[in-house]
Amino acid sequence: MTDQAQILPGTLDILILKAVSLGPLHGYGVLLRIGQISGQALLIEQGALYPALFRLVRQGLLKASWGTSENNRRAKFYELTAAGRKRLREQVEGWNRLATAMGSALAAQPEEV
Amino acid sequence: MKLLAYFRSMGEKFFRPSQLSQEMDEELRSHIALRAEDLERSGLDPEEAQRRARIEFGGEEKVKEECHQALGANLIETAIQDVRITLRVLRKSPGFALAAILTLALAIGANTVVFSIMNAFIIRPLNVPHAESLYGLWRLQDDMSESYPDYVDLRDRNHSFDALIAYNVNEVALDTGNNPSRSWIEEASGNFFDGLDVHPYLGRFFHTFDEHGPNSAPYVVLTYKYWHTHFHDDRGVIGQNVLVNKHPYTVIGVAPPGFHGTLLFFHPDFFVPIVNHDIDAGTQLNNRRSHWVFMTMGHLKAGVTPGEAVTDLNSIGQDLLRKYPKDEGKMTFKLVRPSMYGDYIGGPVREFVTGLMLLASLILLAACANLGSLFAARAADRSREVALRLALGSSRKRILRGVFTEAILIALVGGAVGLSGSILLLRQLSVWQPFPRFPGYLTVTPDANVYALALLLAIVSGLLFGAVPVRQVLQTNPYEVVKTGSSGRIGRRITALDVLLVLQIALCAVLVTSSLVAVRGLAHCLRSNFGFDLNTMLAETDPPMVGYSGDTVPALQKRMIDALKAIPGVESVGLSDALPLGEGSNYSNVFADTTTDLRPSNAAMNPVIFKVSPEYFQAAGTSLLSGRSFGWHDDKDSPRVAVVNGQFARRMFGSIQSALGSYFKMPDGTRTQVVGIAEDGKYDRLTESPKAAMYLPILQSPSASSWMVLRSQRDPQELGAAIRSTLRQVDPALPVYIQTRYNALDTVLFGPRMATLALGVLGMMGAILAVVGIFGMAAYSVSKRLRELGIRIALGGQRKEVLQAALSRAVKLLVLGSAAGLSLGILASRVLAFVVAQATPRDPLVIAGVVFAMAVMGLLATWIPARRALSVDPLRLLREE
């Protein structure tokens, strides 16, 4: 738990979109899923999650509906809209480009310059 | 899609705020519950798990607030919240709210009224297509009038105008079947409607091809308004035969609604072709010397500049002068806007309205300054509340937003009240007919421009006076205020607000001074000598309207005079073709006896001319300085004689003595002997410098226009009825208009009265504003120094000292402002003298009046703050603070 990475600003939205893209989730579920898919490396502050969810709903990237959780508790479930799916694709591409660029930039050796 | 989601979230937030909060609560609760269950599974006991879950989650309220913000629509919600709070706060201080709203309503109302007038008279062009290229012809030697032959030459020979059109204003009797009534008409050239590109509402207009020489087109085109009021929208009116001055005419059309010719303030009843002008027996259509055509104008051809048009017209003028040297004078032109008779009416109106606009904006500025100081006083009173809110974590931004919400709200309400008031006022103005005998209207309809301006003014002024307490709020130090109370520093410096206050007190004093000067001037000039008596009765008749012409006119005039003289109580009866200070005078050139070449440029002078009956001088109260009056023996067969006024005598002959018995020549060459000298008088305007005038016997220079002047001690009402029935016996068809000589001055008094009224109204507004301003300032200084005053009272301070401490600053500002204003007002009154005769500010009554008015205002404004200062209860104050 000690070497959890600080998430970069602006990455919360893409993580939420990714988490939800794997299947409808309630808020707490989103937290768990992000932890799970990042190998518990990324941890999100619980209070910061909800404003982000509301913002994504407002932008039309997520839609919400009330349902029942696995242990029979009423909860609000989020899923991707078509626009959300498109946005996720764009952001993943962007992120990959950035990561590759950062990776090769940081891997550069003195003799390659 | 995205937009839809956005609006849905906005909408939910807006319309179902409570449901949204509930859902949010539920979602967060379920989150915490889920987390707690997980923790329980990892071995914690339920209570501890709950606690841990809550701690991990953090501040629930903070999250909810952030969620709300994330949902957007926050702006509107907080605005609504702000408005709600503001309303609640204002309800607690209704006096403040009322004073602020009233002040602003007055100021914005004044601005909308003045701007509407400016919009209607100056900004908005005439209601005809392409009004911007429409120009009227003005003769530099004279005015806009032309003779008909000159007009025809100018029309046919110019290369600058699409169509040069002309019209004349006249008054006739219209008889639609045994009910002759007076109507104001425009005699229009055949190309009038086509040249203006106006199309009939009903029937047809007359055109150039309808004109075949004098009296060839007996057609009537009604204005929409006259058709509506006098023919009750009867479409069958087309083709109906009517009598105009006893001549048969046919109604051929109705003009479109809103079209009333091209003179802004004049609304004629109908139009007739100008070629039928001979129905007015006074002038002949083809006389080149008689400049009776009221106005000529036209649209400039595309690409022709006004300068080129003037050159074109001037060359025609030169040619005409060469051709008709006996009839024409020098003829050079300028182009003017026709809607207000060039600068003749347009100039004064523009100046007056611009002046009013300036004053009105000053008033608004003053109002803003006042409200600013009221707001500052209020902020000072509320500094504790502000400090508390700051200490409890409210942001300064939020508090400032509250202040501005309050300011804008007051501004909007004030603006709305002001706008509705001004619309009511303008509606009254539009139906008001200032001169009962003349269809002149000041039609002002507020349009989108006006509403936009009112809104803009409200918002801008709200921001302006809302900004005043900003610094106060920003500088509030919550700890200091809560600890020590609000006394803080007492402003000893001269602030911008003080300067503004002095300025507006000065402005108010200027307005009060000017209006008092105007009122006194008006009253004074009504007592001065006009060269005739005001206590007479007038009866106006127009014999040509009922078919009199040539020799039947003098016979009728003699019969009317004799009949009126027989009325019991009537001392004398006179007749004149025109009235001094009436609706416009006639002028005629006169020549020295030695002049033989009688072209207009050789004229000795151009005096006012009256054609009067023998007893006129006696009846009108115009005294003769020497010589004799006329008698009935001064007729066509006897030598020509004249009575001239002192000014005429001095300018033509050097002195009154040498004038008596001397001769001069009329334009037609008649030698005329001066047999009497009358006193000087006022003829066109109250403010005119002395003018030459002459009187000719009506039997030698016949005129159909007949104003009867009666001298009698009887009650005007009673006498009026007697005159009416007497004249009905002379000729039952004769339309008669009866009024007192005093009422007939309405026309010339219109300007001065309007100026006095406007100054009075503005003075009142200025006074109200100054009172509010002083009040705000005094209230502020009292509330800032309450503690000090309390201590003074506790230490046994005298009432006088307390008052002095509390109010000396306000009083000083008042005295300073009033003194400045009074001296400025005295200077400004020199300008006033042009409008109101004998307006002199060096009048002890005026100065006393101003001082009194300012003192009363000061008393009014400081009354409440003074009471508050005196009623300070030191015990309570010291306990509280």
Side-chain angles (χ1 to χ4, degrees), chain B residues 69-81:
Chain B
Q69 268 169 18
L71 273 179
N74 212 36
L75 219 79
I76 294 177
E77 190 178 70
T78 39
I80 289 175
Q81 211 178 346

Side-chain angles (χ1 to χ4, degrees), chain A residues 26-29 31-32 45-61 66 69-71 73-78 81-83 87, chain B residues 1-2 5-6 9 20 23-24 26-39 41 53 56-58 62-63 66-73:
Chain A
H26 50 67
Y28 185 59
L31 277 186
L32 294 181
E45 205 183 312
Q46 297 185 29
L49 174 70
Y50 284 91
L53 282 172
F54 277 99
R55 191 167 56 242
L56 292 170
V57 168
R58 193 188 90 194
Q59 290 170 359
L61 304 177
W66 285 92
S69 73
E70 53 276 22
N71 37 10
R73 197 170 279 283
R74 210 167 112 79
K76 204 168 165 190
F77 282 81
Y78 295 89
T81 63
R87 171 68 65 86
Chain B
M1 177 71 193
K2 272 188 191 173
Y6 178 75
S9 84
L20 196 76
E23 285 193 8
M24 218 178 266
E26 197 177 342
E27 190 174 4
L28 300 187
R29 265 203 309 276
S30 97
H31 175 103
I32 292 168
L34 286 165
R35 176 66 187 155
E37 276 170 25
D38 270 4
L39 290 172
R41 261 195 300 264
E56 275 179 23
F57 192 80
K62 189 170 148 262
V63 171
E66 280 169 18
C67 289
H68 273 293
Q69 268 169 18
L71 273 179

